[in-house]
Amino acid sequence: MRADMFLAYLLLRLLALLPLRGLQAAGKLLGRLALWRRTRTAHHVAVNLAIARPWLDEAARTALLREALAESGKSATEIIKIWGAGAERALRLVREVRGEALFDAALAAGKGVIIAAPHLGCWELLNYWLCRKTPMAILYRPPRIAAVEGLLRKVRGALAPEQVRAEGAGVRTLYKRLAAGGTVGILPDQKPRAGEGEFAPFFGREALTMVLLPRLAARTGATVLYAFAERLPRGAGYRIHFLPAPDGLADPDLGTACTALNRGVEACVELAFPQYQWQYKRWSADDRPSPYDTGNHR
């Protein structure tokens, strides 16, 4: 590990001694600051909320914007606890698991399991929980700073998933793991590169949607489950959820499959709406007008 990354690791370990409630309170302040300064992040969140909740009046949407930015800030600061405390200590923060029987049954079936984990709540803690139950591979894109990978391996420790790059060889690895009855994790709301997705409705508006997950499900017959770790109020910990995939996700018609994929993400988001990563430019695409440009979000 590079020296600066090792120092970052030591700082994480030190700051992780702080209580989760305090770290999340600091994140909430960051969210308030983003709103007060009218940052680009605040703008993106406001546009996304206008798309996802068009029926809200101005007062209700402003209140939701404030709450969503607060949750976004918490997701940035709570990671100190999740990474710095170590996986086993972080897992003590899990207070409840809903739908665990679905996951256990999928593992027992031996046909492979695809965990569709949206950008919702605390996905790093979800990774720990899953890896304690079974070995798992996750599809990822390498960080822009290569040295960060060493830091991530260090903080994740023994409960780190196998990281598979989002490229040809990595995708073949996922197929092989599923064919052998293994488990893989994919972010179903990750915007694909141009030419690698299909447009499908997401909260009522067309969004470029990945086709990889439906193809994996169709070709392997693996069970698809949605999962996320909900952040509980006042630093009380987390609640993990498992939800079944909507009908049609493995349909050979990619339009039908991607529509079902997005319905599954929506079902998760509705359980913890402000905790979704609303700053993500989910409705942008190279060949279409961007709603994030002034005047295009309606």
Side-chain angles (χ1 to χ4, degrees), residues 33 35 54 59 89 140 152 198 249 278 285:
L33 182 61
L35 181 61
R89 288 185 179 179
Y140 88 115
L152 292 178
E198 291 278 330
L249 192 146
W278 290 111

Side-chain angles (χ1 to χ4, degrees), residues 6-63:
F6 184 69
L7 289 174
Y9 169 72
L10 293 179
L11 183 60
L12 280 172
R13 296 284 291 179
L14 179 62
L15 292 177
L17 297 174
L18 296 171
L20 178 62
R21 184 171 183 174
L23 289 168
Q24 290 180 344
K28 184 176 180 179
L29 288 176
L30 289 178
R32 295 286 189 265
L33 182 61
L35 181 61
W36 177 70
R37 295 186 61 191
R38 299 184 180 181
T39 63
R40 183 177 301 179
T41 294
H43 170 68
H44 293 164
V45 174
V47 170
N48 286 335
L49 293 179
I51 293 171
R53 288 290 189 264
W55 58 84
L56 295 180
D57 60 28
E58 184 175 354
R61 194 174 296 160
T62 298

Side-chain angles (χ1 to χ4, degrees), residues 3-296:
D4 56 345
M5 292 296 104
F6 184 69
L7 289 174
Y9 169 72
L10 293 179
L11 183 60
L12 280 172
R13 296 284 291 179
L14 179 62
L15 292 177
L17 297 174
L18 296 171
L20 178 62
R21 184 171 183 174
L23 289 168
Q24 290 180 344
K28 184 176 180 179
L29 288 176
L30 289 178
R32 295 286 189 265
L33 182 61
L35 181 61
W36 177 70
R37 295 186 61 191
R38 299 184 180 181
T39 63
R40 183 177 301 179
T41 294
H43 170 68
H44 293 164
V45 174
V47 170
N48 286 335
L49 293 179
I51 293 171
R53 288 290 189 264
W55 58 84
L56 295 180
D57 60 28
E58 184 175 354
R61 194 174 296 160
T62 298
L64 184 57
L65 173 61
R66 186 180 299 110
E67 187 177 4
L69 284 169
E71 294 298 327
S72 177
K74 291 177 186 178
S75 71
T77 55
E78 71 187 2
I79 203 66
I80 293 171
K81 193 75 170 180
I82 305 305
W83 282 347
E88 291 298 340
R89 288 185 179 179
L91 283 168
R92 296 174 192 170
L93 296 169
V94 176
R95 309 304 182 199
E96 181 185 5
V97 180
R98 294 185 178 177
E100 185 174 2
L102 293 172
F103 184 56
D104 290 340
L107 287 178
K111 297 181 179 180
V113 184
I114 301 173
I115 298 295
H119 291 85
L120 177 65
C122 186
W123 50 87
E124 279 289 338
L125 184 65
L126 175 65
N127 275 345
Y128 286 159
W129 192 93
L130 290 167
C131 288
R132 189 167 65 176
K133 293 275 286 190
T134 185
M136 185 177 73
I138 60 171
L139 191 69
Y140 88 115
R141 291 177 182 170
R144 294 179 182 178
I145 303 173
V148 172
E149 286 202 59
L151 175 62
L152 292 178
R153 286 194 296 269
K154 180 70 172 177
V155 298
R156 287 168 174 164
L159 293 183
E162 177 188 356
Q163 296 186 144
V164 177
R165 296 198 177 206
E167 54 191 27
V171 172
R172 288 191 292 274
T173 297
L174 297 184
Y175 277 109
K176 290 178 182 177
R177 182 176 280 263
L178 290 171
T183 301
V184 304
I186 299 178
L187 297 166
D189 50 352
Q190 184 81 46
K191 190 175 69 174
R193 297 185 180 95
E196 298 181 359
E198 291 278 330
F199 281 95
F202 182 57
F203 283 101
R205 184 182 180 117
E206 296 283 298
L208 190 59
T209 302
M210 70 156 56
V211 297
L212 174 60
L213 196 156
R215 283 174 172 166
L216 281 172
R219 294 178 186 177
T220 65
T223 301
V224 180
L225 296 175
Y226 285 75
F228 70 97
E230 178 189 3
R231 187 178 303 115
L232 299 176
R234 294 178 292 281
Y238 301 87
R239 176 186 296 121
I240 290 177
H241 297 259
F242 287 95
L243 285 76
D247 293 338
L249 192 146
D251 196 284
D253 178 76
L254 287 177
T256 300
C258 289
T259 297
L261 179 71
N262 285 343
R263 282 204 312 272
V265 176
E266 291 170 358
C268 293
V269 173
E270 292 294 353
L271 294 175
F273 191 87
Q275 295 183 28
Y276 190 58
Q277 187 175 290
W278 290 111
Q279 67 268 34
Y280 191 42
K281 295 195 291 182
R282 186 67 178 83
W283 285 282
S284 63
D286 292 341
D287 58 348
R288 298 192 178 191
S290 172
Y292 307 100
D293 296 336
T294 304
N296 289 336

